[in-house]
Amino acid sequence: MTTPVLPAIDTIFGCDVFSRQVMRQRLPKEVFKSLVRTIDHGEPLDPKAADVVAATMKDWAIEHGATHFTHWFQPLTGLTAEKHDSLAAPDGQGGVIYNFSGSDLVQGEPDASSFPSGGIRATFEARGYTAWDPTSPAFLVRGAVGVVTLCIPTAFVSWTGEALDTKIPLLRSMEALSKQAMRILRLFGTDQGVSRVYTTVGPEQEYFVVDRELYYRRPDLLICERTLFGARPPKGQQLEDHYFGTIPARVLAFMADAERELYQVGVPVKTRHNEVAPGQYEIAPLFEMSQVASDHQMVLMETLRRVATRHGLHVLMHEKPFAGVNGSGKHNNWSMSTDTGVNLLDPQDDTHTNSQFLVFLCAVIRAVDLHADLLRASIASAGNDHRLGANEAPPAIISIFLGSMLSDILAQVEKGAPRRTLRGGTLNLGATTLPQLPRHSGDRNRTSPFAFTGNKFEFRAVGSAQTIAWPNTVLNVIVAESLDVLATDLERVAGKNPTPQRLQAAVVAVLKKLIKEHKRVIFDGDGYSAEWHKEAARRGLPNLTDSVAAFPALSARKNVDLFRKYGVLSKSEVDSRAHIAVEKYVKQLSIEAETMITMARTQILPAALVYQERVARALTAIEGAGVKSADQLMQLREYVALVGRFRDAVVALEQVAAHTDDDTAAHAAHMQKKVRPAMAKVREYADQLETQISAEVWPLPTYRELLFLK
């Protein structure tokens, strides 16, 4: 039997995308140029072009097997949404006609009351609109055999005009940053031919893979996407033999299948590998413009889940599906680039002479320092609380790692003028057959939540299950504000059309002051250490250890004013997101608590009693044979006591989980302070029982079975 050969990537990449290449080939020249001006330069969409684009898109989709179309959008659920409409309609003569107009393309009308709105839409106020986003290409999704759907990326807005999704604020934040970044470029005279500055993102998706049959036998995984019970297996990740290890054949087959589908819809997948924990993996695409990267990230997650099913597997995106092994994140590699392809965070060789780069770098430093609370809130969730702050993920303290070279240059700026750039040199490996390797001028820091990694910043605190749109919206707007301040300061000191010498002097003066005020956020050491926590407190850096502590930042006056000033979110839109975040936290923990109680009462406790009866019968038989059994009797008594403690813990959880409060913030605090500790106590006793109850009696697949695929 021969192994089938997968098609070459270049033959399938983007074949299911209504791409720029497809549009160039199929659209009239003037319509194509008009659409490109909208996509690349932010010009308003020409309504006249919509009908032509719609007709062309319809023909292309039908040729590829599509029968339906959907306005594909990202509501505030953290997931995607779609309503499918047929491309065909009755022709009045007993047949059908394919019809897809410009109005069908541009605008849809979903029910806005059935999505989270944070009070913007009451239940009886149902109307909402989806609006075509031409900056993100339409694509085809191939589901079951013969089912092909045209997916049109859209924004989602209420009847009263408020953003009800993650796409609109992201696009607004990108425009805000572009406007301020262009001011910096004009000062340096590097704006020739540049019309916009984009933010770019390359997200690294971590996930676990489990056998689908075992997944369905775990109610906690099925409902909560994480194990609420589970004793640690003898072998986890202690031997450090999983990271970059050989990918199991079954998983590799699934990966290859998923990557093929991702290539077809234009997702530029680059990397796959084993992660640190057993059963944990990573997939990472190349960087793209933020709004496209955000869409592609949602497509990637949906594709992984769908394809895994075909292979008898299930993908877990939760930040902490298994206790005792590393959780999953989604490292967010962020940068800024001109529409001419210049990376504004590329330090280049003689970095100390690259004043423009230093301005953009310092803008990010200032932004992160002043708005660390908002960055922390942007990644707050019940799932991420299990991960942040542990020695497996960035600490909850938001700090910046720059590395030796950049830290040295900023120290020079603070003292006067930068005069040198540290060089990395080469590494001699000691064997003549091995090449000498170029050595970077600085090390990497895996403990930093916000690390500079060569020509970008890696925001490592983003959770694996969340959309990247919201943290990138926050990142864009806080950097836009800092660029605004820096541009204003430079214009004030140097003038709007300064000479190179006058501009350089102004840069040094402005950055010297900025570094002195905001260098507290720069930390190149071990973020996991207790010493850093003490040092961070001395520096006055916020340490928002859990989501309940982080949520208030969303509604803080300074942050509401920030969003409003740069046209990213109105006060009502900010308030809605703050409300949704807290409400979702409460609902998630409530679901977990109820699931835990149900599993404890209907699965674990009955199994514990069955085993208790079995042991008691065995003890009676031993005593009946005239054999002394003091040890066995003591063991039984200890076991019965453990079962009793477990039962009492379940009752205690039931009591605290029954709490209600009209004040969602107070309810969230109760869940964090009372319900989570009660759940931890139930789990503690259940996991002890698992180690004592025989395997044929224990009702749940174990960590050994789940983490080590057959």
Side-chain angles (χ1 to χ4, degrees):
M1 182 178 176
T2 58
T3 303
V5 179
L6 295 175
I9 296 173
D10 63 335
T11 64
I12 62 171
F13 189 84
C15 65
D16 283 341
V17 181
F18 192 67
S19 63
R20 182 170 300 202
Q21 182 180 0
V22 172
M23 291 189 291
R24 182 184 290 109
Q25 293 172 348
R26 304 180 73 129
L27 290 174
K29 185 178 295 185
E30 289 307 312
V31 172
F32 173 72
K33 288 181 178 178
S34 173
L35 194 57
V36 167
R37 287 195 295 271
T38 297
I39 297 170
D40 290 349
H41 307 299
E43 293 187 9
L45 179 67
D46 183 0
K48 297 179 181 178
D51 281 327
V52 180
V53 174
T56 305
M57 188 183 293
K58 174 204 68 179
D59 292 343
W60 170 83
I62 292 170
E63 290 171 15
H64 285 73
T67 59
H68 289 69
F69 74 94
T70 181
H71 274 198
W72 184 81
F73 59 101
Q74 298 169 43
L76 299 174
T77 58
L79 303 171
T80 62
E82 53 195 64
K83 180 184 74 170
H84 295 196
D85 288 304
S86 176
L87 288 165
D91 63 2
Q93 301 177 11
V96 297
I97 185 172
Y98 289 104
N99 186 34
F100 182 64
S101 66
S103 60
D104 293 326
L105 171 63
V106 170
Q107 182 175 321
E109 188 182 343
D111 184 345
S113 69
S114 298
F115 295 98
S117 69
I120 289 177
R121 295 270 78 189
T123 302
F124 69 95
E125 295 172 321
R127 194 180 301 278
Y129 302 108
T130 51
W132 175 39
D133 173 19
T135 69
S136 188
F139 58 96
L140 302 175
V141 169
R142 301 182 182 275
V145 178
V147 178
V148 183
T149 306
L150 171 64
C151 293
I152 303 164
T154 56
F156 182 38
V157 65
S158 74
W159 181 74
T160 47
E162 295 95 347
L164 295 177
D165 68 344
T166 61
K167 171 66 71 71
I168 294 174
L170 178 60
L171 291 172
R172 292 172 179 170
S173 72
M174 292 176 68
E175 290 192 8
L177 184 143
S178 179
K179 180 180 179 181
Q180 303 305 327
M182 287 298 299
R183 292 174 64 192
I184 301 294
L185 296 184
R186 282 192 287 272
L187 278 169
F188 282 93
T190 53
D191 61 323
Q192 292 86 355
V194 179
S195 59
R196 300 188 81 185
V197 171
Y198 297 109
T199 56
T200 60
V201 180
E204 305 170 22
Q205 178 70 61
E206 295 175 349
Y207 62 97
F208 281 82
V209 175
V210 298
D211 187 279
R212 192 166 185 81
E213 182 184 351
L214 299 179
Y215 165 79
Y216 275 115
R217 288 169 52 194
R218 293 278 317 213
D220 47 2
L221 284 180
L222 186 63
I223 297 171
C224 309
E225 281 284 296
R226 80 177 183 97
T227 54
L228 302 176
F229 304 101
R232 299 183 185 182
K235 181 180 183 297
Q237 62 190 57
Q238 316 89 310
L239 296 179
E240 301 176 326
D241 57 344
H242 294 280
Y243 195 51
F244 284 16
T246 302
I247 301 172
R250 189 178 174 191
V251 176
L252 186 58
F254 144 69
M255 285 179 169
D257 199 6
E259 288 169 359
R260 178 181 56 78
E261 290 204 10
L262 290 167
Y263 291 142
Q264 289 180 201
V265 294
V267 180
V269 179
K270 177 67 173 178
T271 302
R272 65 185 181 211
H273 62 82
N274 278 10
E275 260 296 336
V276 172
Q280 187 185 34
Y281 306 93
E282 180 181 295
I283 182 170
L286 296 171
F287 71 91
E288 300 176 282
M289 287 188 294
S290 293
Q291 84 279 14
V292 177
S294 178
D295 284 357
H296 279 172
Q297 179 61 26
M298 302 307 291
V299 171
L300 182 146
M301 289 194 292
E302 292 171 357
T303 301
L304 290 179
R305 292 188 183 103
R306 184 178 65 254
V307 175
T309 303
R310 296 203 297 261
H311 291 259
L313 302 171
H314 184 81
V315 166
L316 298 171
M317 298 289 182
H318 194 281
E319 286 80 7
K320 193 73 171 180
F322 301 101
V325 297
N326 275 15
S328 298
K330 188 166 357 207
H331 299 172
N332 190 89
N333 296 281
W334 177 93
S335 191
M336 295 172 280
S337 179
T338 68
D339 57 2
T340 57
V342 177
N343 184 348
L344 299 175
L345 288 180
D346 183 355
Q348 301 178 359
D349 290 336
D350 293 315
T351 307
H352 69 285
T353 66
N354 191 348
S355 297
Q356 180 178 284
F357 163 78
L358 294 176
V359 168
F360 279 101
L361 175 73
C362 288
V364 177
I365 293 170
R366 179 188 179 277
V368 174
D369 182 35
L370 288 180
H371 301 289
D373 61 336
L374 188 55
L375 273 178
R376 173 67 180 89
S378 76
I379 47 87
S381 71
N384 223 9
D385 275 0
H386 293 285
R387 173 177 162 265
L388 293 183
N391 287 353
E392 63 172 78
I397 305 165
I398 302 296
S399 65
I400 290 179
F401 168 81
L402 294 179
S404 308
M405 184 266 286
L406 291 182
S407 292
D408 179 68
I409 290 175
L410 294 192
Q412 294 178 58
V413 174
E414 189 180 4
K415 293 176 181 177
R419 301 185 183 280
R420 70 180 186 276
T421 298
L422 295 179
R423 306 295 181 184
T426 58
L427 288 173
N428 189 336
L429 303 186
T432 58
T433 55
L434 295 176
Q436 289 191 344
L437 299 180
R439 175 176 172 166
H440 292 85
S441 57
D443 207 343
R444 295 188 69 185
N445 189 330
R446 301 289 291 177
T447 71
S448 174
F450 204 89
F452 189 79
T453 56
N455 58 7
K456 62 187 183 303
F457 279 98
E458 184 180 40
F459 187 18
R460 302 184 67 246
V462 181
S464 55
Q466 76 176 108
T467 169
I468 64 171
W470 178 231
N472 280 286
T473 296
V474 169
L475 187 51
N476 291 344
V477 73
I478 66 175
V479 174
E481 188 263 348
S482 280
L483 289 172
D484 184 2
V485 170
L486 275 170
T488 301
D489 286 348
L490 289 171
E491 290 166 356
R492 175 179 51 80
V493 176
K496 290 196 174 183
N497 295 296
T499 63
Q501 295 78 11
R502 188 174 177 83
L503 179 60
Q504 179 62 25
V507 167
V508 172
V510 170
L511 295 190
K512 182 177 181 179
K513 180 174 181 293
L514 184 150
I515 294 167
K516 187 171 295 185
E517 292 176 351
H518 300 290
K519 65 182 180 180
R520 66 173 188 167
V521 79
I522 301 171
F523 178 65
D524 289 352
D526 183 1
Y528 295 160
S529 67
E531 289 78 12
W532 166 234
H533 285 244
K534 295 176 183 177
E535 171 64 21
R538 285 194 293 270
R539 295 186 184 189
L541 299 179
N543 185 7
L544 305 173
T545 56
D546 56 73
S547 292
V548 174
F551 288 143
L554 295 172
S555 302
R557 177 67 181 271
K558 75 175 182 72
N559 295 329
V560 172
D561 290 346
L562 174 73
F563 284 119
R564 188 163 51 189
K565 178 180 179 179
Y566 293 96
V568 176
L569 291 169
S570 66
K571 185 179 186 306
S572 64
E573 290 171 327
V574 175
D575 289 343
S576 73
R577 282 152 179 79
H579 180 83
I580 290 169
V582 177
E583 188 177 57
K584 186 175 181 180
Y585 178 89
V586 170
K587 289 178 177 178
Q588 283 182 325
L589 283 182
S590 296
I591 292 169
E592 287 187 3
E594 188 173 339
T595 303
M596 173 173 271
I597 292 167
T598 301
M599 291 177 67
R601 289 218 174 271
T602 63
Q603 292 183 285
I604 296 176
L605 188 56
L609 294 175
V610 166
Y611 190 68
Q612 178 177 298
E613 183 184 5
R614 181 181 294 183
V615 174
R617 285 202 308 267
L619 182 60
T620 301
I622 291 172
E623 290 177 340
V627 179
K628 293 183 178 181
S629 56
D631 289 345
Q632 290 87 345
L633 181 61
M634 182 178 291
Q635 290 174 6
L636 177 60
R637 286 172 176 168
E638 291 174 351
Y639 178 84
V640 171
L642 175 60
V643 174
R645 289 194 294 273
F646 174 68
R647 185 188 290 110
D648 292 344
V650 173
V651 172
L653 174 59
E654 288 174 325
Q655 292 171 345
V656 296
H659 173 87
T660 59
D661 200 319
D662 292 335
D663 184 335
T664 54
H667 199 175
H670 173 82
M671 301 299 288
Q672 194 270 328
K673 294 177 182 177
K674 299 293 185 181
V675 174
R676 287 190 65 171
M679 291 177 65
K681 187 60 66 174
V682 172
R683 175 168 192 158
E684 177 188 343
Y685 296 137
D687 291 355
Q688 290 179 33
L689 286 170
E690 182 184 337
T691 64
Q692 297 188 36
I693 296 174
S694 61
E696 72 271 16
V697 176
W698 186 253
L700 302 170
T702 65
Y703 273 26
R704 174 183 57 79
E705 297 170 285
L706 290 164
L707 290 171
F708 299 93
L709 277 174
K710 297 179 180 177

